[in-house]
Each structure stands twice: as structure tokens, then as C-alpha cells.
Amino acid sequence: MRSLASHILFAAALAVASPVFAKDTVIIELPGGDGGRSVGIISANEEVEASGPAAITVGDDGTIYILDQNNGRVLAIDAERSQAEPEILPLPENAAPEDLAVVHNELYLWSDGVVPLERSTEADGRAQTLRAVDGGGDADDYTRSVFASMGSVPPGPLNSIIDEIGRSVSRPEARPPVIQYVPSRGLGDIVAEVSAGNDKAEILLRRASSEENFLSLQLSADGRIGTVELLDIDTTGRPYALVELVPADRPERTGMLVARFTPNGAMDRVYDLPIDPGTVFSRRFVAIGPRGDVLYLRSQEGRAQVVKLDGRDPGRKLAVINPAKPLKPDKPGRTPKVAIVPKSRDDVIERAIGFETLNWLVTPTAYGGDPGPGCLNMNRLRRPIYLIGKRGQTVKGVPYCWGCKTPLENFIGGVEKGQTAGNVCTKSAPQSNILGVDCSGFVSDAWGLKMHVSTRAIPGITKRLSDPWSLRPGDALNKPGSHVLLFMRFTDDRKVEVMEASPNACKGRVCRNTYSLGSLLMRGYQPVRFKGLDG
């Protein structure tokens, strides 16, 4: 039975209102580079997104940590002295980091799972580095949930994707409640039960030591609510929730907000996340400081910034007042003259799964020389990171290859013939003698196309979906001239699970990832359906 406090409800009508722009403050600016006060940013190119710092997180003392994975390190910045030189903490050797989070004031890395970190002093007695804690891989519910809030989760079971194809279109309102475990700074460990339907959401809060809810936060909307995440409760007891709005009929009005509530459940501040098509992807792009500062990691080509969001008064209605700017018009690719053979969704998904699950032996010729050639204008080798050190071993997944489209059935034969596998040098000219697929090469092959159809040309063989929530397994999210993702399914917490070939997000192979649908739409991705698919 709920306590009296659990009946303190605040309904926020989510609608479009006249723009009122917040006075946000840039507190840290880091140019691209590998110096002490910079971050590694790999610039974009045709068919590939830029790669910048992957995560921002905040310690209990207010220290801001930025995952600078392209330089193999974490930057620790004193929030009170943000213009001072950051402390540089090198990551463990051979780490392949994707996310970083502070949980119970300890630092954790996500690299195909949770990796606890601790500081280790170098031989000089001054410099420190980060090392993985031995035997620390069994994460608790709170650590796993913190990572899951931004999509850092193991991929779901493959058989359920096939099962989902035969069902009716999956609608978010049919999803069951989701349990989140939040290690809050203000009230300790909190269990949140999130129920989100079409235009309503409710967050019930209880302490980990109790079975009784002590607070209920409610949201209502004119359009559809997507992902809802309780991010934290600050030291004064104010809850903060990440709310995604994705209208079914007007996806261009998509927005992502952080809503702040008073300790008794009344919403008193709203922070708009300024995501747009020029934003470089970060896995963890927002963090809450101990005293309630809402910090946004804004990465662009050439620089990254930590922005302290000022927020605004929600008034009577909570609104997306500043939706992302539409993708700049660009010269469209020519509609390819390709024979479109009708394909079932089962065929597409089974073929895609083959690219992710293929086990193959990394022969000496497939691996190439050691350490191998480097990439132009990049601080990395041509070899995909998941293959480094794997000569003579069996690995899983077809490697990424810039500009390539190796059919699945030809890959093993190419390895046996002595061809090199994988090439993540996206600033060099494509090489025809290397095995693998890039993002559009993978999607083209999964759709059963004999030719390589680029992301610019994909609109010519697909139809745009007016309702993003109508995506079905085998559809795609395409950003012309940049990247394409093959849609697998909606997760229980209303994110999207996709399969992609990426030199960055997948460590240089075909893999599955989970993203916020709203963040993809705001960054310019378009939901599309291949014309050759049935239904």
C-alpha cells in the first residue's frame, strides 16, 4: 500500500510552446587533440560518423570525469577550478572503453561489460593511472542499472528478435513497467518503477530497504513519451529524470529534457538538451552534480564542451521549446538502379545475425604485420581494435572495412585465400583487397542487394516512416552521408536495439548496440523501410 507522500503527484502536460531559451554556461572547453587540455576527436567522413569523448560522469566531491577513449585516458577536472589543467588518468592497457560512470563514488568502465577501476600510482610516485580491479566483474544491480540508463547493456537474446517479427507492430504503451536501481546521493539507494504508456508516465520511488513507495512522479503529454530514466536525487533531495518525447505524428518535434522535482514531487525546473545533427555521439551525455548541477557533454567536430544547463520554469506545461534543427539539405545520392528482390524480414534478420555471430580464425595473413600500418590523421592503427593481439585465435563478428561490402558467404573464403581483414582508416581511400563491410555495405547485404548502396542513396530504395514507433525488425535508421543502423527491436525501456558496422561503436566490427530513439532522431537519423520488405 502506498504511503501518503506517494499520492503527491505532479502532472506536466508536454506540449509545444513559444520558445524561451535558457542561459546555459560553458564551464569547460576542450579542443580536439592529444595534449593535456584536449580530447581525441576523429573527424567524420562520407559514410562514417565523427568520434569524440564517450562519457561524462561526476564524483561525489564534484570532480568531473570525461572518458577520452580516443586518447586512451580519463580526464579528471575539478569543477571549482574548471580552467585549471585536468588530471590525466591513463586507462588500462588494451582497454576498449565505451562508457564511464561513478557508482557509490567508485569509477567503473563499460567495455563489453562492467569493469571496476582503481587508481594506481606509477613508479615515480606522482603520476597515477587507472587499472582494472581483479575479480571485480560481478556488478550489482545498481551499477548495471546506471550503465543501462544510457544504453550500455549486453544485447538481448537473438531468438526473441525472430519471434518478434511475427507479432503485431510493437507499441511502447504495451511494454511492462521497468525497474531502475539508482544509487542516489541524496537519499541513498533507490528503487524506481517506471511505467510509460503512450502519453503518460509514472515513476514510483522506494528505498532499497523498504517495499513501500514514498513518492510518485507523474508525467502526461500531448504526444508520445519514450525513454524515462531517473538519473539521480541530489543532496537536497530533489529527483532528476531524463524524459524523451517522440511524437508519433511529428518526429521533427522530438526532444530530450531533464526534469527536476522538489523533494515533495512538484516539478520546478526543466533543462533542454541541445542535441542537433552536428552533435558528435556520446554514450553518456548528461550528468547530475551532487548539488544539482545539470551538466551536458556537447561534442562537435574540433572541440568538446561541458555545459552547465541553466534550465527554465516549466510553467503550466512542460514543452519541447527548441527541437533539433533539421538535417541540412544536401545533394542527394542518385537513385541506384538495383534489382529489388522481395525479402522477408526473417531473411534479413537471419542474414544480419550471421555478420554478428560469425566465428572465424584470424590467420597470420588476415591479421597482417605487427603493429601494422597507422591511419592518416588518426591516433590508431588500421587494424580494428577487436582484432588486436588475436593472431591465431578465433574471434566473433565480421570486421569493419571502410568502403567495403564483402558478402557473408565470401568472407571465410577470402580469409583462406590470404586476404587481410578489416580497415578502420576512414580518411584513406577505400581498398578493394581487404575483407569486411562498412555501415551501408552491411545493411545493403542484409537487405539482399548485390551492389553497395550508400547512405546518400538509401532514400531512393526506401520509404520514410512518418511514425518512428512503427519501426520493425529489418527497417533502418539512416543519416544520409553519415551512418546507417539496422533496426532490431524496441527494448522494454523504450530504447532501440540496432545492428551496425562501426569503426568506433563496435570496436571495428558488426555488433548490436542500444540507443535512445530520441537522440538518434535529434542527430538527424531518419526511420526508413526498404521497399523490398514485406509489410
Side-chain angles (χ1 to χ4, degrees):
M1 188 161 178
R2 298 184 191 176
S3 66
L4 178 61
S6 72
H7 291 282
I8 301 174
L9 308 178
F10 184 87
L14 307 176
V16 176
S18 58
V20 179
F21 298 100
K23 296 179 181 179
D24 301 333
T25 305
V26 176
I27 61 172
I28 300 167
E29 182 153 343
L30 303 167
D34 56 7
R37 192 176 175 83
S38 60
V39 288
I41 298 178
I42 301 172
S43 59
N45 200 4
E46 188 74 14
E47 301 294 285
V48 65
E49 289 190 297
S51 171
I56 181 173
T57 189
V58 184
D60 286 359
D61 61 355
T63 299
I64 299 169
Y65 297 93
I66 296 175
L67 176 56
D68 182 18
Q69 78 284 355
N70 289 328
N71 285 324
R73 64 191 187 182
V74 171
L75 301 182
I77 302 171
D78 184 345
E80 301 297 326
R81 301 172 59 247
S82 60
Q83 300 309 311
E85 287 296 305
E87 182 181 10
I88 297 174
L89 302 171
L91 287 164
E93 189 176 353
N94 297 326
E98 303 164 73
D99 196 359
L100 183 77
V102 172
V103 184
H104 294 130
N105 209 33
E106 299 290 338
L107 206 55
Y108 292 84
L109 195 69
W110 179 273
S111 179
D112 287 336
V114 176
V115 180
L117 298 175
E118 67 178 9
R119 291 182 180 231
S120 176
T121 304
E122 296 286 351
D124 61 11
R126 292 178 297 174
Q128 291 198 330
T129 186
L130 295 171
R131 74 174 190 88
V133 178
D134 294 336
D138 294 331
D140 61 18
D141 289 336
Y142 290 88
T143 306
R144 287 193 296 268
S145 190
V146 167
F147 280 108
S149 68
M150 294 296 171
S152 294
V153 293
L158 290 167
N159 59 348
S160 63
I161 300 176
I162 301 296
D163 294 341
E164 197 161 326
I165 293 173
R167 302 175 190 152
S168 59
V169 176
S170 180
R171 292 291 184 181
E173 59 265 35
R175 301 290 177 169
V178 174
I179 301 298
Q180 299 171 1
Y181 299 89
V182 182
S184 80
R185 293 188 172 95
L187 298 179
D189 289 346
I190 295 294
V191 180
E193 180 179 318
V194 179
S195 301
N198 181 20
D199 59 353
K200 297 183 184 299
E202 181 182 33
I203 309 174
L204 297 175
L205 306 183
R206 65 176 175 86
R207 288 180 170 82
S209 59
S210 173
E211 294 299 321
E212 186 177 5
N213 300 320
F214 69 88
L215 195 63
S216 173
L217 312 173
Q218 289 195 350
L219 300 167
S220 63
D222 292 336
R224 183 161 292 166
I225 297 175
T227 293
V228 177
E229 298 282 355
L230 182 67
L231 296 176
D232 204 348
I233 300 173
D234 69 16
T235 52
T236 65
R238 297 175 298 186
Y240 294 75
L242 178 66
V243 183
E244 171 191 81
L245 307 179
V246 185
D249 55 345
R250 297 188 66 192
E252 72 276 6
R253 300 298 301 180
T254 294
M256 297 194 75
L257 317 166
V258 172
R260 186 181 77 185
F261 297 83
T262 64
N264 68 354
M267 187 182 300
D268 68 343
R269 203 73 176 161
V270 175
Y271 306 83
D272 303 278
L273 301 186
I275 304 171
D276 60 42
T279 301
V280 174
F281 169 74
S282 295
R283 171 62 70 182
R284 186 171 301 274
F285 47 83
V286 64
I288 309 300
R291 292 176 294 185
D293 292 338
V294 179
L295 303 178
Y296 172 69
L297 177 61
R298 178 165 60 196
S299 294
Q300 299 168 311
E301 288 222 31
R303 67 177 183 178
Q305 298 172 322
V306 177
V307 182
K308 181 180 176 181
L309 301 181
D310 182 58
R312 56 183 169 86
D313 187 338
R316 295 180 59 188
K317 294 184 178 180
L318 180 61
V320 177
I321 64 169
N322 189 23
K325 299 175 183 177
L327 199 63
K328 290 183 179 180
D330 203 351
K331 184 179 179 180
R334 293 182 179 179
T335 300
K337 295 180 180 179
V338 54
I340 297 179
V341 179
K343 290 285 181 181
S344 71
R345 293 186 181 274
D346 292 65
D347 290 338
V348 171
I349 295 302
E350 286 177 1
R351 189 164 183 84
I353 288 172
F355 278 88
E356 184 197 31
T357 60
L358 180 70
N359 291 300
W360 60 282
L361 178 66
V362 183
T363 64
T365 52
Y367 189 80
D370 226 346
C375 298
L376 297 175
N377 303 319
M378 296 184 193
N379 183 25
R380 64 181 179 191
L381 299 174
R382 185 179 73 184
R383 181 177 298 117
I385 191 170
Y386 89 111
L387 293 179
I388 294 176
K390 297 299 176 63
R391 183 196 286 115
Q393 300 179 39
T394 298
V395 297
K396 186 174 78 170
V398 172
Y400 180 90
C401 177
W402 164 234
C404 301
K405 179 185 176 294
T406 304
L408 185 60
E409 54 271 18
N410 294 356
F411 181 79
I412 294 297
V415 171
E416 293 173 347
K417 291 176 183 177
Q419 289 182 257
T420 302
N423 174 22
V424 296
C425 294
T426 55
K427 286 292 184 180
S428 305
Q431 297 178 303
S432 60
N433 62 335
I434 297 181
L435 301 169
V437 288
D438 65 9
C439 65
S440 55
F442 160 64
V443 172
S444 295
D445 199 85
W447 283 344
L449 304 177
K450 298 300 181 184
M451 67 179 295
H452 188 162
V453 179
S454 71
T455 58
R456 290 192 192 278
I458 280 177
I461 62 169
T462 61
K463 58 181 179 180
R464 184 95 170 259
L465 299 176
S466 59
D467 179 3
W469 297 108
S470 67
L471 282 161
R472 298 184 63 197
D475 293 335
L477 287 148
N478 182 54
K479 186 175 181 180
S482 180
H483 192 46
V484 62
L485 313 163
L486 191 70
F487 178 78
M488 296 281 109
R489 60 179 154 201
F490 288 107
T491 63
D492 286 343
D493 59 356
R494 294 156 194 85
K495 297 184 180 70
V496 290
E497 184 180 294
V498 300
M499 191 175 289
E500 61 182 315
S502 171
N504 305 311
C506 290
K507 305 182 181 67
R509 63 184 169 193
V510 176
C511 78
R512 278 180 291 154
N513 273 312
T514 301
Y515 300 109
S516 157
L517 175 60
S519 67
L520 293 175
L521 296 176
M522 294 176 76
R523 287 169 49 223
Y525 282 86
Q526 303 164 356
V528 296
R529 179 163 295 159
F530 176 48
K531 292 178 180 178
L533 273 179
D534 54 351

